[in-house]
Amino acid sequence: MNGHCNVNVNDTVEEFHCNSFSDLIIDSKKSVVHRKHDTSRKNEEDQSRLPTLEAAYTSILRELGEDTDRQGLLRTPLRAAKAMQFLTKGYHETIEDILNNAIFDEDHDEMVIVKNIDVFSLCEHHLVPFFGKVHIGYIPNKKVVGLSKLARIVEIFSRRLQVQERLTKQIAVGISEALQPKGVAVVIEASHMCMVMRGVQKMNSCTVTSTMLGVYLEDPKTREEFLTLSRSA
Amino acid sequence: MEHSKQKQYGSSENKETGHSSVLNGHFDGTVKRPAAGPSLPPAAESGSQRPVMESWREERTRSVEDNEMSLPSLAAAYTTILRGLGEDPQRQGLLKTPWRAATAMQFFTKGYQEKIIADVLNDAIFDEDHDEMVIVKDIDMFSMCEHHLVPIFGRVHIGYLPNKRVLGLSKLARIVEIYSRRLQVQERLTKQIAVAITEALQPTGVGVVIEATHMCMVMRGVQKMNSKTVTSTMLGVFREDPKTRDEFLTLIRS
């Protein structure tokens, strides 16, 4: 998926506790969240990889016909390499890291929605950004999560080379594995620069993907309530 | 204009290498240089200070053949980048990404391939006895930040006061395309568009306003989602007469 080549795909996978989820939807062996992988990119690795990235960007600038010695481009390879590392920093992070303390026992079983979370990611096919908004809803099962942690989960998965469908599913699965709620719903509306700036060049196009898990999948009324609430201004 | 800015930076290398006239690093002092060569930086050119009003007439320095020839090295560079980020270039989603990314980047810099006069403006200048303001606004613009290689996008508003010669309207948008599809700085882009229109038409005045969002500020760094950068260039009567400028600015806002 967001395949880190140093991950051993035969790693043992934890039991996936599903209460009312349909097992067919998520193959836990393939779940990126679930794999116990070390964060294979730490800061030292980033630093050590910087020269290679810089050299690659210098070569790109030359091949495009630019003059790499002109003032505006002198440090561009370094800046572009760092920018690209920042835009893919999600590979560093795991859900366990950010969620550790922020799950609380509350006797709440009504829907919780956090909407209009800005999301920025990189298209894995063209290495061009896509960005938009994420709306997340979940129905807690005695455990609620700190609200900003939902946004942080979005950050972890979006700061990678992504495909919007996969991003939506990873966010949903990440939340459901962390909280075991009764249901999770994630909707992403995004604009893809690879479609807007090049190729078919449709300025106003917007791609919408959604993942419904648990009670959101089974009960149409719940799903409708989420969709209505997340759309209202 | 651009020349004086370059000199202010006080770098002594500029004068020696002749790069002081290099803006989007593609042109040099001698417009007679054959354009068919592969895309090398103008290394050993004379340090002639071209008058800035020549700047828009730069030769095409990249051709379609150049693009094809550089594609393998670009793809190799992108493969290195993917590995350097810790990704697996062999997984299914990334197999052809180096080629796609290379082609995409060549598209985003295709402004280096085009010549203003020959390609764009040749036939579309007409003699009209019109001397009222002409405005084309909300031209979508997409560029690449030359500092971080991430997109810039926004809108360009152009106004000019013809002096017996008018330009085909879409040619204004094409001028925007030529200069924006490059590694750019928004200030320079604004000025290049204005100067190109001035030199092509010799109008009484030109005004160009660009409002853009810079992904380098939105996706990374300071991360301000709603920030917009506005730059403008006013030439001729737009600069000298505040009423004309006012009219232009009001009309582009409505």
Side-chain angles (χ1 to χ4, degrees), chain B residues 28-72:
Chain B
D28 47 64
T30 53
V31 289
K32 297 184 190 57
R33 186 165 76 97
S39 44
L40 292 172
E45 292 301 338
S46 61
S48 57
Q49 304 286 308
R50 263 182 317 119
V52 71
M53 294 303 263
E54 292 282 311
S55 62
W56 69 296
R57 222 188 299 255
E58 63 264 21
E59 288 285 307
R60 180 189 332 206
T61 56
R62 202 171 91 182
S63 62
V64 176
E65 295 80 32
D66 288 339
N67 279 353
E68 284 172 14
M69 284 189 336
S70 18
L71 212 47

Side-chain angles (χ1 to χ4, degrees), chain A residues 166-184:
Chain A
R166 182 199 309 139
L167 172 61
T168 323
K169 177 158 280 176
Q170 284 179 328
I171 295 172
V173 168
I175 296 171
S176 58
E177 289 174 354
L179 287 185
Q180 288 94 42
K182 293 191 181 144
V184 180

